[in-house]
Amino acid sequence: TQLLEQSPQFLSIQEGENLTVYCNSSSVFSSLQWYRQEPGEGPVLLVTVVTGGEVKKLKRLTFQFGDARKDSSLHITAAQPGDTGLYLCAGTMIKAAGNKLTFGGGTRVLVKP
Amino acid sequence: GAGVSQSPSNKVTEKGKDVELRCDPISGHTALYWYRQSLGQGLEFLIYFQGNSAPDKSGLPSDRFSAERTGGSVSTLTIQRTQQEDSAVYLCASSPARGYEQYFGPGTRLTVT
């Protein structure tokens, strides 16, 4: 089992629909990040959350960090085909040397036009 | 400014051969990380460099894997006597001295035949 569990693993929706991706752990993280990765490219950082209960909005994307800093969610409103990609959550465990990231298994999102 | 660059972008090698993968981090970033991503999966931490400190090698899967960082900048990941299970995308990331954000390169796709 992975330290960070992402769900669902795969999500296929129509353009205009909403979606939520979850990232859960039994461990506490000092920070959590969300990345999006497209084929043939490296992950691109979307957001970093560091405070329990924190909510950040990036256009149509809303990120939430759980109060206990063990879980996070990514919500996309009115998804567009350009949102298609692999979404990865990654956390820095408390006392992890050098902010080493632990990644979830990823959620592959397909937004059909 | 320039992002993280990696070379080669693709490498095909025969089982048993040695390979070297190169990473040029963002100028001024003191931390450098190597990750491995198997097909469609999340990222697995390999090794981490921070300034002149001894590297954190806790993620290297076997003693066939090694890495060095010269002059606090460019890094080379070496895999000796490659095996088919080494086939993956190898990603490099760099990070400034403070903060959690890691910036990824495009990766090197390694195929061992």
Side-chain angles (χ1 to χ4, degrees):
Chain A
T1 52
Q2 291 192 308
L3 206 55
L4 273 172
E5 296 283 345
Q6 277 189 246
S7 63
Q9 291 184 317
F10 180 72
L11 201 53
S12 178
I13 61 171
Q14 292 294 136
E15 182 177 1
E17 294 181 339
N18 302 333
L19 68 96
T20 302
V21 178
Y22 299 94
C23 181
N24 294 294
S25 177
S26 58
S27 300
V28 178
F29 290 87
S30 56
S31 73
L32 199 137
Q33 300 173 23
W34 285 91
Y35 292 83
R36 183 171 73 204
Q37 184 178 24
E38 300 191 21
E41 299 180 7
V44 175
L45 179 67
L46 297 175
V47 76
T48 300
V49 286
V50 297
T51 305
E54 182 175 4
V55 177
K56 280 193 173 179
K57 292 192 175 184
L58 184 67
K59 297 183 180 178
R60 294 177 294 100
L61 278 62
T62 302
F63 305 86
Q64 188 164 9
F65 200 13
D67 291 341
R69 291 187 293 159
K70 293 183 178 181
D71 56 87
S72 181
S73 64
L74 157 61
H75 182 79
I76 301 179
T77 302
Q80 299 176 1
D83 296 325
T84 293
L86 179 67
Y87 288 83
L88 296 158
C89 67
T92 301
M93 296 187 70
I94 291 177
K95 297 184 181 178
N99 296 333
K100 184 170 64 180
L101 288 174
T102 299
F103 279 85
T107 296
R108 193 164 298 279
V109 172
L110 173 63
V111 182
K112 294 180 282 188
Chain B
V4 177
S5 60
Q6 293 186 245
S7 61
S9 55
N10 281 284
K11 176 73 176 178
V12 180
T13 189
E14 292 180 351
K15 177 181 172 180
K17 295 284 181 67
D18 298 351
V19 295
E20 285 190 351
L21 312 179
R22 177 186 168 105
C23 172
D24 283 272
I26 293 173
S27 177
H29 280 191
T30 59
L32 187 149
Y33 308 79
W34 283 98
Y35 295 87
R36 178 169 70 175
Q37 186 174 31
S38 300
L39 186 63
Q41 299 300 310
L43 278 70
E44 171 191 15
F45 167 79
L46 296 177
I47 188 169
Y48 153 70
F49 296 88
Q50 173 63 60
N52 296 320
S53 303
D56 176 351
K57 305 178 181 180
S58 60
L60 294 179
S62 78
D63 58 8
R64 296 186 295 105
F65 288 72
S66 63
E68 62 178 21
R69 189 179 184 191
T70 54
S73 181
V74 171
S75 177
T76 302
L77 176 68
T78 301
I79 308 173
Q80 295 178 310
R81 304 181 303 280
T82 52
Q83 303 294 313
Q84 287 185 331
E85 61 262 29
D86 299 334
S87 295
V89 176
Y90 290 82
L91 289 156
C92 174
S94 70
S95 179
R98 296 178 182 271
Y100 299 106
E101 291 80 6
Q102 295 186 19
Y103 299 87
F104 284 82
T108 293
R109 180 175 296 280
L110 175 66
T111 303
V112 182
T113 61

